[in-house]
Amino acid sequence: MGLSLVAYMCTLMVDLDDQYDVAILGGGLAGLAGAIQLAKKGFRVILFEKEKYPFHKVCGEYISLESWDFLQSLGLPLAEMKLPIIDTLQISAPDGTIVSSRLPLGGFGISRYTIDHLLAGIAKEAGVTLMEETKVTDVPFDGHFNVQFISKNTSTTSIKATVCCGSFGKRSNLDVKWKRSFIARKNPRINNFLGVKYHVKGGWPHNLIGLHNFKDGYCGLSKIEEDKYCLCYLTTADNLKNCGGSVEALNKTILFQNPVLHSLFKEAQFVADFPVTIAQISFSKKNQVQDHVLLLGDAAGMIAPLCGNGMSMALHSSKLAASVIGQFLDHNISRKEMEEAYTAIWQKEFSNRLETGRILQGFFGNKMLSNLFIRLFLFLPFLAGFVIKKTHGKPF
């Protein structure tokens, strides 16, 4: 007769342990990189991801070369992947004025669909218990964490962990449950943004990243793997609302006012299954530790996408966290010392970059100011290099 359906489904479920050294909530770049590092140190790591790899997510898909060596150290064979190296920035004002600048360090293009999937495979090989299609609902702390979750892959509903990291991105159900301060802030200059991403094909230079401004937003274009480009833009929720909730109407009504973007959209061949979108993006200041959970990547602080450094910052934050977590689990420092050390090194490394990003966000969200700012770049070209330096770091 064979197995009943219920019995068969049970054979597909993951058999979880009761106790882990580290639980990581969210399987983006910071979460996966952190999991790999900690597993390689010999710790028992479980990672929860609400989606199933591979999948697309809203992201500019440009990574500063400051992350190249670090990613290779995790096991990602970047040198063999023939990825586009990007060394030139082109900026256009809402009125179509264009200025270009060489990028001091530069970067490379790769889709999140590809890099997250590859890192997930490396994490599994390193011994990480990877829980896909699993939503964490709460993480109460009583000396250890009781991680509560809903999953289609196991009948278990909770596990215990000594350390917990939150790498769940820009906004999550846990942010709301914790009533984190940025949730309540209403500053429209840095809150309540919408992200839209396409993959497109076209004949643009492979070494160029474009940053094209329009009323209350900006749009990036850069090469990724194969013959595709990432076209991703950020704008206000009000812009979408004023266009009847239609992304297509938003493109034509708002973005096309910049003649460079109008031409770009007309030339582009759009790949199927796009766009993907995300709402309620905030650039407000955030705390790096919440209820004893160490926060990584965008969960700890999000830099304006126009700075082109969010992915590297997420990866770097995982390295900072893995270092202090390792010291704590090896009984070299207390939990309080771990939390304080992580906050201090995170602030030292990233706080000035985020503040610069918030200032730039104010310039590029305003049509008149962004026209003026880009004209200043034309007459004072050293300004572009100065801004890039203020928003980027060194190889780590």
Side-chain angles (χ1 to χ4, degrees):
M1 295 289 292
L3 291 173
S4 70
L5 179 60
V6 172
Y8 173 71
M9 291 302 294
C10 287
T11 67
L12 299 180
M13 288 185 174
V14 178
D15 185 18
L16 296 181
D17 295 329
D18 294 329
Q19 179 76 40
Y20 291 85
D21 295 314
V22 185
I24 297 180
L25 320 180
L29 291 180
L32 289 166
I36 293 166
Q37 292 168 85
L38 290 163
K40 287 183 175 181
K41 291 176 184 285
F43 300 120
R44 298 170 69 192
V45 181
I46 185 169
L47 183 148
F48 299 91
E49 169 53 51
K50 65 180 181 179
E51 306 291 347
K52 182 174 178 61
Y53 299 104
F55 60 94
H56 294 288
K57 61 173 59 177
V58 176
C59 179
E61 300 183 331
Y62 163 91
I63 306 181
S64 167
L65 282 171
E66 64 195 73
S67 300
W68 183 275
D69 291 343
F70 173 71
L71 283 167
Q72 292 207 121
S73 75
L74 296 181
L76 201 63
L78 295 177
E80 304 169 15
M81 296 173 67
K82 299 181 180 178
L83 297 169
I85 302 300
I86 298 166
D87 59 14
T88 302
L89 169 66
Q90 182 187 80
I91 309 176
S92 74
D95 64 7
T97 302
I98 294 176
V99 62
S100 296
S101 175
R102 295 283 292 182
L103 293 168
L105 183 60
F108 61 99
I110 184 171
S111 71
R112 294 297 299 274
Y113 187 91
T114 296
I115 190 172
D116 288 21
H117 190 210
L118 290 173
L119 288 174
I122 294 170
K124 289 179 182 178
E125 291 176 3
V128 176
T129 300
L130 188 59
M131 295 295 296
E132 300 174 70
E133 299 178 289
T134 302
K135 181 179 180 179
V136 174
T137 57
D138 203 2
V139 281
F141 178 78
D142 60 359
H144 283 71
F145 293 95
N146 181 30
V147 183
Q148 301 169 18
F149 55 89
I150 301 170
S151 178
K152 62 187 295 184
N153 300 316
T154 179
S155 57
T156 303
T157 58
S158 68
I159 57 94
K160 292 188 179 299
T162 305
V163 176
C164 187
C165 296
S167 57
F168 36 69
K170 302 166 182 63
R171 183 187 177 102
S172 81
N173 61 304
L174 291 176
D175 290 320
V176 176
K177 179 179 285 289
W178 286 330
K179 298 180 180 178
R180 293 181 71 192
S181 58
F182 79 91
I183 296 289
R185 292 184 187 134
K186 302 298 182 183
N187 185 348
R189 188 177 65 84
I190 56 175
N191 290 326
N192 203 20
F193 282 86
L194 166 81
V196 179
K197 186 183 84 172
Y198 297 90
H199 280 174
V200 298
K201 298 180 180 180
W204 308 288
H206 292 187
N207 69 321
L208 187 73
I209 181 168
L211 180 64
H212 306 292
N213 295 273
F214 55 89
K215 179 182 178 293
D216 297 324
Y218 45 84
C219 177
L221 177 75
S222 57
K223 183 78 168 58
I224 53 174
E225 70 272 12
E226 300 171 345
D227 59 345
K228 294 175 290 190
Y229 292 75
C230 174
L231 190 160
C232 189
Y233 69 81
L234 184 85
T235 190
T236 60
D238 283 345
N239 261 351
L240 181 65
K241 181 180 178 181
N242 293 337
C243 292
S246 166
V247 171
E248 184 177 358
L250 175 63
N251 295 342
K252 293 178 178 178
T253 304
I254 306 297
L255 275 70
F256 286 12
Q257 292 181 27
N258 181 333
V260 177
L261 278 174
H262 192 184
S263 175
L264 189 156
F265 269 77
K266 292 298 183 183
E267 181 182 344
Q269 303 170 45
F270 288 84
V271 175
D273 301 324
F274 287 90
V276 290
T277 62
I278 186 171
Q280 296 182 307
I281 300 172
S282 169
F283 301 104
S284 290
K285 291 182 180 180
K286 299 178 180 178
N287 50 323
Q288 286 72 59
V289 179
Q290 176 71 46
D291 291 7
H292 302 288
V293 177
L294 272 62
L295 302 171
L296 316 181
D298 288 344
M302 183 179 174
I303 195 166
L306 62 90
C307 298
N309 203 35
M311 294 170 77
S312 280
M313 285 178 53
L315 291 165
H316 197 172
S317 73
S318 78
K319 186 174 183 179
L320 300 179
S323 174
V324 296
I325 290 169
Q327 293 176 60
F328 169 68
L329 292 175
D330 286 335
H331 308 291
N332 294 322
I333 58 175
S334 67
R335 185 180 296 277
K336 183 173 184 290
E337 289 171 327
M338 172 185 68
E339 295 174 6
E340 290 176 347
Y342 176 65
T343 299
I345 56 178
W346 193 99
Q347 289 285 341
K348 180 180 179 181
E349 190 64 43
F350 303 127
S351 61
N352 287 339
R353 295 192 219 177
L354 266 70
E355 186 59 37
T356 302
R358 281 188 281 270
I359 293 169
L360 289 173
Q361 182 74 23
F363 272 101
F364 285 96
N366 181 291
K367 187 174 180 180
M368 182 181 70
L369 288 178
S370 57
N371 281 331
L372 175 62
F373 202 63
I374 290 165
R375 281 184 166 75
L376 280 176
F377 279 174
L378 280 174
F379 291 107
L380 302 170
F382 69 88
L383 278 178
F386 174 77
V387 169
I388 293 168
K389 184 177 180 180
K390 291 288 287 184
T391 55
H392 288 68
K394 297 178 181 178
F396 54 90

